[in-house]
Amino acid sequence: MQMPQGNPLLLSYTLQELLGRDTVQVELIPEKKGLFLKHVEYEVSSQRFKSSVYRRYNDFVVLHDMLLQKFPYRMVPALPPKRVLGADREFIEARRRALRRFINLVARHPPFSEDVALRLFLSFSGPDVQNKLKESAQYVGDEFMNCKLAPRAKDFLPADIQTQLAVSRELIRNIYNSFHKLRDRAERIASRAIDNAADLLIFGKELSALGSDTTPLPSWASLNSSTWGSLKQALRGLSVEFALLADKAAQQGKQEENDVVEKLNLFLDLLQSYKELCERHEKGVLHKHQRALHKYSLTRRQMLSTTVQSREPDAAEQLESRIVEQENAIQTLELRSYFSLYCLHQEMQLVHVYLPLTSHILGAFVNSQIQGHKEMSKVWNDLKPKLSCLFAGPNSSLTPPRPLEDGVSPQ
């Protein structure tokens, strides 16, 4: 972790520095394995390592397990769910996006980014990467056992660390809830743009179908045959513009999915990993510490009872040995508890480093709206003159359309 001079607890990262650590792409390879076979394969490309490797979902699972094993006190992002029976293209695409978010959060996390497991995952192109990952973790303890500062973590913690963490958890919970609602709205906005594209395309096709109708006019309408023929010719030409409008709307929807919804999901994944880390802290090291203290208390009482009731030296020595072992275990758990708080404090700082991502998200959303409406407006304006032949005035002069009143045409 990058630390300033002085207290090593404090971090000095900017969002740009984190984002600049690596950018990893995860692309589906349907032509190789197909979308509906037993497994899907991904091409994982890293800018940092200038590598491109093939990975399967289970390879991500092994990496995830290795990170939890080696960094139990850090924010390890969750993986998307396993493949389910009848998984469709939509599910597979959503999982690909989630895997991309996972590996980018991992590749940009300071301790993870320097770990051999990540390097192997992103650059090892040999067979059986899963065994290679597992071998890299053999005989290697977790971060507590390998960090020189771990035994002194308590010295760097502020006196009100518990209060700070409680306030932080409340803040993260509120931010998560707000961003979750923002993500849902952004998804609906992007979805509406894509639905609008489909409707515009169908609208244009129906106009084209109307203009291509070959049904002959009845005799009583023969006086208007030239008018109807001109109208049909104009309608046929409009389908091109409506197809272009549909394309622009679809582009805007896809851009908002990639630049707005995905960034919101990335931040939500990070916030969720912080919440899960807090739960691991409470249910893991703190719970083990409490159990060890309880066991120690029982053994002490048992020793006192044995000393009073029995004069056998062997029994007393065995109990005394157990007490010493438990005292050592309790001391180690206490050190782990402080180191867990130390890591929690740093992870909380990393979450705040990511908070300026909000401005990136809003900027992408505004730019998408401006660009999308600008391009759509241009197509609509180009289409308007082509409607003039639909409005024939007296003596074949063209007049612009006027609003209808009471449903009756002024013409």
Side-chain angles (χ1 to χ4, degrees):
M1 304 286 276
Q2 182 178 328
M3 304 168 187
Q5 294 297 322
N7 190 348
L9 178 68
L10 304 178
L11 306 182
S12 59
Y13 285 105
T14 66
L15 177 61
Q16 289 305 119
E17 288 172 341
L18 287 183
L19 297 179
R21 282 179 166 265
D22 200 357
T23 296
V24 185
Q25 297 297 333
V26 179
E27 300 298 337
L28 199 63
I29 313 178
E31 66 275 10
K32 229 185 148 181
K33 297 296 181 184
L35 290 174
F36 301 101
L37 297 179
K38 290 184 179 180
H39 64 265
V40 177
E41 196 167 16
Y42 305 93
E43 182 178 8
V44 181
S45 306
S46 164
Q47 283 187 4
R48 176 188 175 191
F49 296 107
K50 296 179 172 54
S51 60
S52 181
V53 293
Y54 294 151
R55 295 290 180 257
R56 286 154 65 170
Y57 175 80
N58 286 338
D59 300 332
F60 284 88
V61 172
V62 173
L63 174 64
H64 179 268
D65 293 344
M66 294 299 101
L67 292 174
L68 276 178
Q69 176 183 322
K70 297 169 78 172
F71 300 97
Y73 311 123
R74 301 289 183 181
M75 295 185 296
V76 180
L79 284 173
K82 276 183 168 287
R83 184 187 181 99
V84 296
L85 292 176
D88 55 13
R89 291 175 181 269
E90 185 177 348
F91 169 84
I92 293 172
E93 171 61 15
R95 191 174 68 173
R96 182 195 68 80
R97 289 173 177 267
L99 290 174
R100 183 178 63 187
R101 296 195 302 269
F102 163 81
I103 196 62
N104 275 287
L105 285 173
V106 169
R108 293 163 181 169
H109 190 285
F112 301 165
S113 64
E114 303 304 323
D115 189 69
V116 64
L118 178 69
R119 182 181 296 271
L120 283 170
F121 184 86
L122 292 177
S123 61
F124 179 71
S125 57
D128 202 357
V129 67
Q130 294 182 25
N131 279 336
K132 199 73 175 176
L133 288 169
K134 293 173 183 176
E135 288 172 5
S136 71
Q138 283 184 341
Y139 316 115
V140 178
D142 64 9
E143 187 183 10
F144 172 78
M145 298 178 66
N146 294 299
C147 179
K148 294 180 180 179
L149 290 175
R152 299 190 295 124
K154 181 181 178 181
D155 300 336
F156 306 110
L157 293 173
D160 61 341
I161 180 64
Q162 297 293 351
T163 302
Q164 288 191 27
L165 287 177
V167 172
S168 173
R169 290 190 70 176
E170 180 66 21
L171 174 63
I172 298 302
R173 182 163 45 246
N174 294 338
I175 293 175
Y176 180 87
N177 291 336
S178 293
F179 269 80
H180 197 280
K181 293 175 183 177
L182 288 172
R183 192 276 315 275
D184 289 347
R185 295 301 105 180
E187 279 185 338
R188 292 186 61 179
I189 291 170
S191 178
R192 281 201 297 271
I194 294 172
D195 290 343
N196 185 38
D199 291 339
L200 286 168
L201 188 61
I202 293 173
F203 194 93
K205 287 182 177 179
E206 289 303 321
L207 289 178
S208 179
L210 186 62
S212 302
D213 185 76
T214 57
T215 305
L217 285 175
S219 58
W220 54 266
S222 59
L223 293 176
N224 297 316
S225 60
S226 60
T227 303
W228 177 233
S230 300
L231 286 174
K232 289 202 298 181
Q233 184 177 356
L235 293 174
R236 283 197 300 271
L238 295 179
S239 62
V240 175
E241 278 72 22
F242 276 94
L244 186 57
L245 285 167
D247 184 59
K248 297 296 183 185
Q251 287 179 18
Q252 182 178 347
K254 290 296 182 184
Q255 184 177 352
E256 287 168 358
E257 281 184 347
N258 293 327
D259 296 343
V260 180
V261 176
E262 272 303 288
K263 284 186 174 69
L264 286 167
N265 277 324
L266 179 79
F267 193 48
L268 284 171
D269 289 349
L270 180 76
L271 295 176
Q272 181 63 34
S273 67
Y274 179 81
K275 291 167 64 178
E276 292 173 356
L277 175 60
C278 292
E279 292 175 3
R280 282 204 305 276
H281 172 75
E282 291 179 349
K283 297 178 181 178
V285 64
L286 290 185
H287 183 62
K288 288 179 181 178
H289 190 198
Q290 291 170 354
R291 283 194 304 173
L293 287 174
H294 178 67
K295 185 177 180 181
Y296 174 75
S297 176
L298 291 177
T299 306
R300 289 282 297 178
R301 287 201 298 268
Q302 185 180 357
M303 181 180 179
L304 291 173
S305 176
T306 302
T307 303
V308 172
Q309 297 177 7
S310 174
R311 296 184 178 181
E312 296 181 7
D314 292 343
E317 287 178 5
Q318 289 177 2
L319 280 172
E320 187 174 355
S321 175
R322 285 170 56 191
I323 288 174
V324 170
E325 289 179 2
Q326 289 176 10
E327 286 176 343
N328 291 336
I330 288 171
Q331 184 180 13
T332 301
L333 284 171
E334 285 179 347
L335 291 175
R336 279 188 174 272
S337 178
Y338 286 121
F339 183 66
S340 179
L341 288 170
Y342 176 93
C343 293
L344 261 175
H345 198 285
Q346 289 191 329
E347 299 301 277
M348 174 183 64
Q349 294 174 67
L350 278 180
V351 170
H352 284 271
V353 173
Y354 269 97
L355 275 173
L357 192 65
T358 308
S359 60
H360 291 234
I361 294 168
L362 288 174
F365 178 60
V366 171
N367 289 336
S368 171
Q369 291 292 316
I370 292 173
Q371 186 66 23
H373 287 297
K374 182 179 178 181
E375 293 182 359
M376 293 278 285
S377 177
K378 183 180 184 306
V379 179
W380 284 116
N381 284 322
D382 290 344
L383 183 148
K384 187 176 180 181
K386 298 182 180 181
L387 300 180
S388 58
C389 61
L390 298 176
F391 305 97
N395 301 320
S396 298
S397 63
L398 301 178
T399 59
R402 298 197 303 271
L404 302 183
E405 297 176 3
D406 300 325
V408 179
S409 171
Q411 310 219 1

